[in-house]
Amino acid sequence: MLTAADFDKLGFWEDVTPEENITVYGMDFGDAYIMLTDDLGKTPVNEKGFIVAAAYDDADCFLWGVELKNFAALKKLCTTHPAGSQELLEALRAYKLPKKQ
């Protein structure tokens, strides 16, 4: 089960959304930020489940979203590129789900 500490180690901050009553994890990228949820828009807790990264600009307008295979895929991207870097933001945006074999 994923915890806030797992996301904190990768450089994400934690926020509670009172209107949806969920915890989301985010990261700032200068004039943009991403928010992480599971594929149902809830708090990501299953390390083997999909994680959705949604990017927003500094005016809170949606820019793009991507579905990551699981927490391991997110962790790999975050350990390959520095937290909050343009390289990480671009790597997240360019991520493609692996094809089923």
Side-chain angles (χ1 to χ4, degrees), residues 22-96:
I22 64 167
T23 299
V24 294
Y25 302 102
M27 185 180 290
D28 296 313
F29 294 91
D31 60 355
Y33 65 95
I34 61 168
M35 302 287 283
L36 303 177
T37 63
D38 67 10
D39 58 338
L40 299 174
K42 304 288 183 195
T43 305
V45 294
N46 179 358
E47 66 185 72
K48 293 185 184 312
F50 290 110
I51 294 181
V52 175
Y56 299 88
D57 66 16
D58 55 5
D60 296 330
C61 293
F62 177 77
L63 299 172
W64 51 264
V66 65
E67 193 172 63
L68 301 163
K69 182 177 179 182
N70 53 29
F71 184 75
L74 174 66
K75 186 176 181 179
K76 183 177 180 182
L77 289 173
C78 291
T79 55
T80 306
H81 307 286
S85 69
Q86 282 303 121
E87 294 85 4
L88 178 55
L89 186 62
E90 287 303 315
L92 285 164
R93 184 167 62 163
Y95 179 86
K96 302 279 187 233

